[in-house]
Amino acid sequence: MQEPFDVEVGNETYAVFPEGNDTYTIFKNGKEYIQIMKDTSSIWLKMDYKTELPIFEEDEEVNAIGQAISGYVPDEEDDLED
């Protein structure tokens, strides 16, 4: 399991806790903020807290956090090419 890490989006710093299966719990200002999951290489989805199912609506902040995570986390496919 990967260790938690921080990403910066604009002027905000988010603490990212990997949960496995391309799912991450995000903390903002020291408090649990959202849970997100990778849908495609460019689309990230916010998870519903009660059902733990993805919410299929575009969210710029979620996508920006996801892109920052993608920049930090190496893709397994990239590892296979090395």
Side-chain angles (χ1 to χ4, degrees):
M1 181 69 94
Q2 187 180 0
E3 294 293 315
F5 57 93
D6 291 343
V7 295
E8 288 187 22
V9 177
N11 295 328
E12 290 288 342
T13 299
Y14 300 91
V16 179
F17 287 74
E19 303 291 342
N21 296 328
D22 286 330
T23 302
Y24 301 85
T25 298
I26 310 300
F27 286 76
K28 182 178 177 180
N29 300 324
K31 295 181 181 171
E32 189 169 336
Y33 181 54
I34 54 175
Q35 191 172 42
I36 66 174
M37 75 177 290
K38 186 175 187 177
D39 184 39
T40 67
S41 62
S42 61
I43 303 293
W44 289 73
L45 302 173
K46 184 176 179 177
M47 306 292 287
D48 184 285
Y49 272 112
K50 292 180 183 173
T51 64
E52 295 186 1
L53 295 172
I55 300 170
F56 291 96
E57 61 184 49
E58 270 217 41
D59 185 311
E60 286 184 32
E61 182 182 27
V62 168
N63 273 332
I65 295 168
Q67 293 304 318
I69 291 170
S70 292
Y72 185 90
V73 177
D75 279 340
E76 291 176 18
E77 294 172 8
D78 291 344
D79 292 343
L80 295 174
E81 291 176 7
D82 291 339

